[in-house]
Amino acid sequence: MRAYIIGSIVIWCGVFLAWYCLTVFTRQDSPQDAASPAANVAILSASQCRFAVETLFSMTDKLLQAGGPEVPTELRRNIESCISSDSVTRDKITATQLIRLFP
């Protein structure tokens, strides 16, 4: 009876270990990449930041109205990248009411 229980435990541990190794090694992204979303953000040049800010300012009236559309995700990522890396862009957006759209 004891041999049956110990054998069963060993077999199930082996199955679990094989399943665990398969799931860990077949993942597409590494845990370090998933832990830092900032690593996936591209650094934009000053001209690209200027273009993104001009696009945002052209949408100002629509964005600030109650119930207006949300900032498109790609533009949001670009603006957040510009805010974090470019002080001129940060100052421009802070001077307007648009900064409340970027927490």
Side-chain angles (χ1 to χ4, degrees), residues 30-42:
S30 67
Q32 292 82 14
D33 292 341
S36 66
N40 297 332
V41 175

Side-chain angles (χ1 to χ4, degrees), residues 10-96:
V10 168
I11 288 173
W12 281 110
C13 286
V15 168
F16 175 74
L17 182 63
W19 171 77
Y20 179 76
C21 288
L22 280 174
T23 58
V24 168
F25 292 123
T26 57
R27 283 188 55 191
Q28 296 294 359
D29 55 339
S30 67
Q32 292 82 14
D33 292 341
S36 66
N40 297 332
V41 175
I43 304 289
L44 300 175
S45 68
S47 63
Q48 290 171 327
C49 282
R50 193 173 329 115
F51 178 73
V53 170
E54 288 173 4
T55 304
L56 181 70
F57 284 156
S58 70
M59 300 171 60
T60 300
D61 295 333
K62 292 179 184 177
L63 292 173
L64 293 178
Q65 290 176 353
E70 292 184 8
V71 179
T73 56
E74 186 175 330
L75 181 62
R76 175 179 291 280
R77 263 188 262 127
N78 291 345
I79 294 292
E80 288 173 352
S81 172
C82 290
I83 288 173
S84 64
S85 65
D86 188 21
S87 62
V88 174
T89 302
R90 187 178 325 115
D91 294 339
K92 275 185 181 179
I93 294 177
T94 304
T96 65

